[in-house]
Amino acid sequence: MSGVKVIEDNSLRATPSGFEVRVRFKWYRSLPLSCLEDLRLSIDGEPVDPGLIKFHINGHVYRLSELTELVEENWFVLDPAILEVELPGKVKPGEPHQIDISFGMRAPYIRTGPGDFLTVINRGSATQVAA
Amino acid sequence: MSAKPVLGTTLYSFTNEWLQRFYTLEELVAKVAELGLGPAVEVVGFQSFREYPDLSDEFARDFRSLLDRYGLFPSCLGGNCDVGRHRERLMTEEETVDFVERQLVSAQKMGFRVLRIQTFVGPRVFEKIAPLAEKAKIQVACELHSPLHARHPEVLELRECFDRVGSEYLGFVPDFSASMAAPPAVYWQKLRDLGAPEALVEEAKEVWASDRPIPEKFGALTDAAGRYGADGALRAQLNMSLTMFGRMPVEQLAELLPYTKHIHGKFYGVDASGNEPSLPYPELMALLKREGYQGTISAEWEGHAFTEEPIGFEQVRAWKAMCERLLAK
C-alpha cells in the first residue's frame, strides 16, 4: 500500500534547462488551476526561486504566476503536473537529489468563514536518482 | 409489503481505488454491477469526468450506454459550486447560476435525475435555477450535512424558499452524517496520529457530545487546542469533528423528506458483525420505511478520509447487506 504521493516515484529527470519532477495533489476531485497556492520547491535543501518554475498541465505550459487567473482550466485529480525548473546543470542523470515540495489547493466550495475556503496543504519529500 | 428506498452507490466510495488508478471508470462501473451494488449509481462530476463541468455528447452517450450495459442507472450527479475559484473575489450570483446551469446540461446529457449542489448558494440562486431545472427536468438539490440540520436557520430559509417557489425540482440531499451516534474511531485515531495527547482527544469527544450551540463548540475546541499547543494541521482536524459529524436527532429527517430528492448513506466502517457503530442505521432505516421513502440512497463510504487502503468495494457490499437486513425488518 503506497497511496497517492505528492512527488511521483522515479519522476526526477535531468533536462537541458535544469530538471523536472512530476507532482500530484491529494484531494478527491479536480480543482481549477487558480486554486493552487504558494508552491515551494527546494532541491538538496536550497529553495528554488518560484520564477524559475514552469508548470506543465493538460499539454500547456504556465509560469506559476499565471495560474491564479486560470479559473476555467482544471487540474484533473488523476493527472500529475510536471514542474520544470530552470537551473541548468543542477541535476545530472544518475545523481541522487532530495526534492521537497509544498503547495496549497484551495477547495473553492468548502467555506471556513466569510470569503475563506478550506486550503488543503500538500507536502512531499523524496530523494530520487535523476533519469 | 411497504415501499422501500432504492439502494445504490456513489463512485466516491471508491475514491482510494480511483486515485491510485487501480480501476478505470469503466472498470469501477463493471465492478459495481458484478458485486450487485447498484442499481442506482451516483458520480461526483469533478472526480470522475475529466472534462467536467462540460461534457461532450459523445462522452455522455458512452457513459449512458456503459450503465445500460450493466443494468445500472444514473441517480445523482455530484456537482459543485466553486464560488471561491477566483482568488480575490467570490463568484457573483449570475456566475453561480451559469456554473450550475452548465452542470445541469451535463446531468441531462448523462441521464442523471438529480444534480447535487451546496447549500451556501442560498435562496436567490435557487429561485433563478428553478426554471432551468424544470426545463431540464432535473432536480437540483443541496446536500445537508453537519453543521447544518433540519432546523438550522440556513436550512429553514431554504425550506421556505422551496415552499414559496413550489417547484418539485428543488430540494435537499440529506446526508446521514448529520445524525451520527459518535465520530468514528478512525477519526479519533487521526487526531492522535497528528500528535493530539489523549487528554485533548477526550476533551474533543466531550465537546462533540455536548448540547452547546455549534459556534460555542468551535470556540471550546480552539481553546483546548491552545492549551495543548496543537499545530495548524491538528487544529484543522479538530474542527472537522464539527463539520463532518452532526448530532441532528434522527426524527428530524422526517421534516426534510418532503423536500428530499436523494440521500447520501454516509458511513465510515461496517464492522465484522455487519453494523456501523458510528451511525444510527437501524433508526434511520426504520424512519425511511415508516415514512414510505421510495427515492434513491447512495452508499457513501468516507473512510478514505482516514485510510488509503482500497477497501471501498468490500465496505459498500457490507453496507448494502446491512441496509437490506434493516429494511426487511
Side-chain angles (χ1 to χ4, degrees):
Chain A
M1 261 313 301
S2 57
V4 174
K5 290 181 179 169
V6 171
I7 302 176
E8 284 212 333
D9 287 343
N10 304 313
S11 69
L12 179 64
R13 213 166 65 83
T15 63
S17 65
F19 66 92
E20 62 182 40
V21 281
R22 292 156 70 94
V23 171
R24 284 183 67 186
F25 65 98
K26 298 185 81 141
W27 194 240
Y28 70 87
R29 55 155 281 197
S30 309
L31 290 167
L33 294 178
S34 57
C35 291
L36 189 146
E37 295 184 351
D38 201 20
L39 188 143
R40 290 159 197 249
L41 186 156
S42 65
I43 176 158
D44 303 324
E46 289 172 42
V48 170
D49 175 356
L52 299 178
I53 301 173
K54 288 182 187 168
F55 192 91
H56 295 241
I57 189 83
N58 305 323
H60 301 144
V61 188
Y62 298 109
R63 294 283 173 189
L64 291 180
S65 57
E66 292 176 293
L67 298 177
T68 312
E69 300 300 318
L70 300 174
V71 296
E72 273 292 321
E73 183 169 351
N74 289 325
W75 185 353
F76 187 55
V77 71
L78 298 185
D79 286 349
I82 297 174
L83 298 183
E84 178 194 351
V85 179
E86 295 171 302
L87 281 174
K90 186 76 182 171
V91 170
K92 295 186 180 63
E95 290 178 351
H97 289 278
Q98 187 191 329
I99 306 289
D100 294 282
I101 290 172
S102 73
F103 58 95
M105 289 298 276
R106 191 170 69 255
Y109 59 99
I110 301 182
R111 289 184 313 178
T112 55
D116 286 332
F117 294 86
L118 175 72
T119 298
V120 182
I121 305 299
N122 290 267
R123 285 199 180 85
S125 292
T127 298
Q128 296 186 3
V129 174
Chain B
M1 195 162 122
S2 60
K4 283 184 187 172
V6 178
L7 303 180
T9 189
T10 169
L11 298 187
Y12 173 76
S13 295
F14 316 115
T15 288
N16 285 345
E17 289 79 356
W18 176 244
L19 293 186
Q20 291 171 71
R21 297 187 281 226
F22 295 152
Y23 291 79
T24 63
L25 184 57
E26 289 75 8
E27 288 165 349
L28 283 181
V29 169
K31 186 85 170 178
V32 165
E34 179 196 322
L35 296 178
L37 307 180
V41 174
E42 174 172 1
V43 179
V44 173
F46 279 114
Q47 175 172 64
S48 299
F49 304 140
R50 181 179 283 278
E51 305 303 329
Y52 199 79
D54 309 307
L55 298 170
S56 71
D57 293 345
E58 189 188 3
F59 181 84
R61 197 172 49 240
D62 287 350
F63 185 74
R64 289 177 78 146
S65 65
L66 176 69
L67 292 189
D68 277 351
R69 201 181 323 145
Y70 288 105
L72 305 169
F73 72 85
S75 57
C76 177
L77 176 61
N80 286 107
C81 296
D82 289 347
V83 294
R85 66 182 187 160
H86 296 273
R87 189 177 293 182
E88 306 301 338
R89 65 172 182 87
L90 294 178
M91 264 187 189
T92 64
E93 208 171 277
E94 197 178 331
E95 286 170 334
T96 307
V97 172
D98 286 348
F99 199 63
V100 173
E101 187 174 13
R102 285 163 67 183
Q103 297 177 72
L104 258 180
V105 169
S106 291
Q108 192 177 27
K109 281 187 186 182
M110 307 287 269
F112 286 99
R113 303 163 178 205
V114 179
L115 173 68
R116 179 284 311 262
I117 62 172
Q118 284 77 39
T119 43
F120 59 69
V121 301
R124 287 165 58 93
V125 168
F126 268 100
E127 280 175 30
K128 289 183 174 170
I129 288 169
L132 306 172
E134 291 192 356
K135 188 161 160 257
K137 296 201 177 348
I138 309 269
Q139 288 154 338
V140 179
C142 55
E143 187 169 5
L144 276 193
H145 55 57
S146 187
L148 299 181
H149 51 81
R151 297 173 188 175
H152 188 282
E154 210 175 304
V155 176
L156 290 175
E157 199 183 17
L158 284 166
R159 286 165 66 169
E160 195 270 327
C161 163
F162 299 157
D163 289 339
R164 187 175 64 245
V165 175
S167 170
E168 60 174 305
Y169 288 97
L170 300 183
F172 292 119
V173 177
D175 185 307
F176 285 162
S177 67
S179 302
M180 298 206 35
V186 285
Y187 169 73
W188 304 117
Q189 188 51 44
K190 178 103 179 187
L191 293 183
R192 294 182 192 105
D193 293 347
L194 288 169
E198 209 50 42
L200 176 54
V201 173
E202 285 308 313
E203 271 199 46
K205 283 185 181 179
E206 280 170 29
V207 169
W208 186 83
S210 70
D211 286 323
R212 283 181 277 177
I214 290 281
E216 260 183 51
K217 289 190 182 191
F218 276 115
L221 287 181
T222 303
D223 175 60
R227 276 185 281 111
Y228 291 96
D231 66 8
L234 179 54
R235 282 167 187 264
Q237 195 67 40
L238 277 166
N239 285 341
M240 287 172 89
S241 64
L242 303 179
T243 56
M244 290 181 88
F245 316 119
R247 290 179 72 245
M248 179 178 93
V250 170
E251 200 49 42
Q252 285 185 24
L253 178 59
E255 296 174 22
L256 296 172
L257 286 181
Y259 310 93
T260 294
K261 307 304 178 188
H262 176 66
I263 290 176
H264 281 165
K266 182 66 59 61
F267 70 112
Y268 292 89
V270 176
D271 63 21
S273 68
N275 299 299
E276 164 43 298
S278 62
L279 286 135
Y281 266 92
E283 292 80 4
L284 289 163
M285 290 297 144
L287 182 144
L288 293 179
K289 221 179 136 179
R290 184 193 80 205
E291 299 290 324
Y293 178 73
Q294 296 178 56
T296 45
I297 308 177
S298 285
E300 194 180 63
W301 182 67
E302 203 170 52
H304 51 77
F306 307 106
T307 176
E308 288 183 285
E309 292 286 330
I311 55 174
F313 284 106
E314 61 194 70
Q315 278 296 317
V316 172
R317 185 148 64 166
W319 176 93
K320 193 174 188 208
M322 172 180 74
C323 292
E324 284 176 339
R325 186 186 78 228
L326 293 170
L327 288 169
K329 277 186 181 171

